[in-house]
Amino acid sequence: MSAHQSLLPPGWPRPRGYSNGIAASGHMIFTAGIVGWDENEIFQRHDLPGQFRQVLENTLAVLAEAGAGPEHIVRMTWYITDRKEYLASLSDIGAAYSELLGRNFPAMAVVEVTGLVEAAAKVEIETTAVIPAASR
């Protein structure tokens, strides 16, 4: 069962890789800003695609604690430290996204920032998920 409905106003082109808006109801889960370190808070990868994959793995681990999976994600805000590296890495980022999150396209924003609190972090992502009431 889908946790949400993608919102697409009439006549608008379908966005690629995200949704303009999501309607959802049920049990909501919010993550903190999650970075690409391992469970011991050590950055094993220092490239954006590697950290991005770790962020998604970490996010899925947190969501699983509430019984949620990638199909329940309705919103993500990505904070990246280098727009050029992000654009150059889109193929690897897309591959990791597809492998770990599948064909779920939540409402998303990608924001370039001058730095993150964890100096070695290249990406930090906040996620909102909704588990439908019927699924609980």
Side-chain angles (χ1 to χ4, degrees):
M1 166 180 256
S2 177
H4 61 274
Q5 172 192 356
S6 181
L7 305 175
L8 184 64
W12 284 31
R14 180 163 305 283
R16 294 181 51 198
Y18 66 96
S19 294
N20 289 310
I22 299 289
S25 62
H27 182 69
M28 297 184 359
I29 301 103
F30 305 91
T31 73
I34 295 180
V35 296
W37 57 22
D38 65 16
E39 66 279 0
N40 297 309
E41 300 182 351
I42 297 170
F43 287 94
Q44 299 293 335
R45 298 287 305 267
H46 299 283
D47 62 307
L48 179 58
Q51 286 193 17
F52 178 78
R53 173 178 287 280
Q54 186 66 55
V55 168
L56 294 185
E57 290 172 356
N58 294 347
T59 298
L60 291 174
V62 171
L63 294 178
E65 290 297 306
E71 71 276 15
H72 299 114
I73 296 172
V74 297
R75 174 115 179 96
M76 298 177 91
T77 303
W78 304 10
Y79 302 96
I80 59 169
T81 59
D82 186 332
R83 181 178 180 272
K84 288 180 183 173
E85 184 179 9
Y86 168 76
L87 292 173
S89 302
L90 283 177
S91 176
D92 292 332
I93 287 170
Y97 186 99
S98 294
E99 179 185 333
L100 296 168
L101 301 186
R103 297 204 39 82
N104 181 33
F105 303 110
M108 286 195 280
V110 179
V111 181
E112 183 181 31
V113 296
T114 58
L116 298 165
V117 171
E118 296 301 330
K122 292 182 170 273
V123 59
E124 184 170 330
I125 299 177
E126 297 174 328
T127 301
T128 303
V130 177
I131 301 173
S135 296
R136 289 188 52 91

